[in-house]
Each structure stands twice: as structure tokens, then as C-alpha cells.
Amino acid sequence: MLAVTNASNDRDKTFAWIENLGAEYPFAFAKDGKLSELAGVEGIPHAALFDPNGKMVWTGSPYELTSGKVKEVLKGASKSITFGWGKTYGGVADSVIDNEFSDALEEVDKLAAKGVEGAEDVREAVVRKLDGRMAAMKKAFDKGDYYAALVIAESLDGNLDGLEQESAVASTLSSMEGDEEIENVLEGQKKLAKLENGKLDKKRQVEGAIDKAEKLAEKYDGTIVATQAKAFVKRLRARLASK
């Protein structure tokens, strides 16, 4: 769980509230309400659910978010937060964040050989994190979300030297090459990703993105591109309605 408060809120009061509550989850401040716009916030309280790869897959009232949906989306996610490992394992955490798992495991094994406390637990967390990435890649590929699978595979490619997962990543990448159906879906997903990552600060920009996304949904009807494009349009329309 991650708590986010608007930057206009009193920071001292927020820190005091966190301390008095004894909350152990991470929290952050968002500037200018940008996060609220991205999540299509229409009222408070509001929740957004992100998958292990950082993609927002659900947004709405927390009262409508079921435990089943959370379990489905977070399957394969790491149960350990790297920023909680402390300075001793800072290099390991940095490598994990950069998906450099072979380097992370090599570093933690060196620390373990020196008898550094907690090495076994950290190594287990690194392996679990890698397993989660691999599971997410396979799940995305199996359901036809080739762009998500490609992003994960490319982030791991070259970072798994000597690890057994290296061949599975290479196999995923090679299976996408030369397959017309997959390449067609990827083309549409990349166009949609460009829209999602584009400037959407002004009303006309949002309306333009809606128009383009709707055209993508029509062009790629029957594929995951259409499903994702329609979900994107829904979020954008919610954003317009909230202004």
C-alpha cells in the first residue's frame, strides 16, 4: 500500500499524523494534483491499483475494490520492499531496481560469505522479486498482452547472466519476432502507449487523445489493444468530468 497526499497539504501535519498512527507503509507527496488527474480521481477517498510492473490497472472507490481483484493483479509481486534493506544492502537494492539480478545475487552472495547478517533473507527476497518478474512476463504473454511482456523481457535481457531464467527471457523475445499477429498487436499497443505517455495537460490534448484512442479501438477490434484503448478512454473521460 502507498499513501499519497496533495503537496498543498501541510507536510508537518502529515508527518505527525503518520507518526501518531504508527503507519509502516510508504507515503509520498504529489505536486499540482497530477497524480489525481492520471488516476481519474472524482472523489475522496480514491484508490488506484498498480500491477508489479507499475502499470495502473484499476482506479475507483476503495469500497469497490475487492480482495479478489487485488490478489489477481498482485500475483507475482515481491513481498519485500527494497528501500527497507538498509545501507548494507544498498547496492543490492539498486541492482534489483535496475533489474540487474545477476549483479544483485552476486553482491548478496559476497556479503553472505563475509557473514553479514540478513544475507539469506535478502537473497530470498531478490529471487522472489525475479520470480515475480518472470511470472508477470509469462502471464502477460499468455493473455496476449505482448507489449507488457516485451517491456519486461527487454528490461531483463542481458541482466541475467548465468541464471536459469536467462533462456526463458531469450525465448520470449525470439517468439515475438516474425509473428505477424503478435507484431500487429504490438504495433497497436505501442501507439496506445505513446498516447498514454503524451502531454495531456490541456482539455484539447485530452480530447485529442480520446479521439485517437477510440480510433485505435476500432482499428484493432477484437484484440487486447481495443480493450486497453477503451479503458484509457474511460479514464480520460473521468478526468474531463472531474474538472
Side-chain angles (χ1 to χ4, degrees):
M1 179 171 68
L2 169 67
V4 181
T5 182
N6 192 291
S8 62
N9 291 348
D10 190 301
R11 286 174 176 261
D12 291 336
K13 288 182 179 179
T14 299
F15 281 111
W17 181 81
I18 288 290
E19 184 176 352
N20 291 334
L21 183 66
E24 297 181 354
Y25 52 78
F27 64 96
F29 292 90
K31 293 183 179 180
D32 306 321
K34 293 296 183 183
L35 186 59
S36 295
E37 289 186 8
L38 289 172
V41 175
E42 298 180 38
I44 301 295
H46 190 90
L49 185 61
F50 295 81
D51 68 13
N53 304 305
K55 181 178 181 180
M56 186 170 68
V57 294
W58 182 92
T59 179
S61 168
Y63 305 115
E64 299 173 356
L65 182 58
T66 65
S67 59
K69 181 64 176 177
V70 173
K71 289 180 180 179
E72 175 191 344
V73 171
L74 296 186
K75 186 176 181 181
S78 172
K79 297 179 181 179
S80 176
I81 302 175
T82 54
F83 63 69
W85 289 351
K87 293 183 179 179
T88 303
Y89 293 99
V92 178
D94 289 342
S95 293
V96 169
I97 291 171
D98 292 335
N99 292 303
E100 297 169 349
F101 287 97
S102 56
D103 290 346
L105 290 172
E106 181 179 353
E107 177 64 20
V108 78
D109 285 343
K110 287 180 180 178
L111 293 172
K114 295 178 181 179
V116 177
E117 184 179 358
E120 184 178 336
D121 290 338
V122 172
R123 192 183 203 287
E124 182 181 341
V126 173
V127 172
R128 189 162 54 235
K129 178 69 173 178
L130 174 55
D131 287 343
R133 296 287 284 165
M134 297 298 295
M137 180 185 71
K138 184 179 185 304
K139 180 180 178 180
F141 187 88
D142 289 346
K143 75 174 185 179
D145 190 351
Y146 301 119
Y147 184 68
L150 178 65
V151 169
I152 298 173
E154 288 184 336
S155 72
L156 295 174
D157 188 36
N159 291 320
L160 304 177
D161 294 343
L163 302 181
E164 62 182 64
Q165 294 88 347
E166 186 177 18
S167 61
V169 170
S171 177
T172 298
L173 289 171
S174 64
S175 66
M176 296 189 197
E177 297 176 359
D179 187 306
E180 291 185 8
E181 180 180 346
I182 292 178
E183 290 180 347
N184 180 59
V185 171
L186 276 173
E187 178 185 48
Q189 288 188 299
K190 288 178 180 179
K191 290 178 180 178
L192 181 59
K194 187 176 181 179
L195 282 179
E196 293 177 324
N197 295 323
K199 289 197 68 174
L200 298 171
D201 299 327
K202 300 179 180 179
K203 182 180 178 181
R204 61 178 177 80
Q205 293 173 328
V206 175
E207 292 175 337
I210 289 175
D211 181 60
K212 291 178 181 178
E214 288 179 333
K215 289 179 179 177
L216 282 176
E218 182 178 352
K219 179 179 179 180
Y220 294 92
D221 185 40
T223 72
I224 196 169
V225 181
T227 302
Q228 293 175 335
K230 290 175 183 177
F232 179 52
V233 168
K234 183 178 180 180
R235 294 198 300 273
L236 291 184
R237 291 196 183 282
R239 183 191 301 188
L240 290 177
S242 65
K243 291 185 176 182

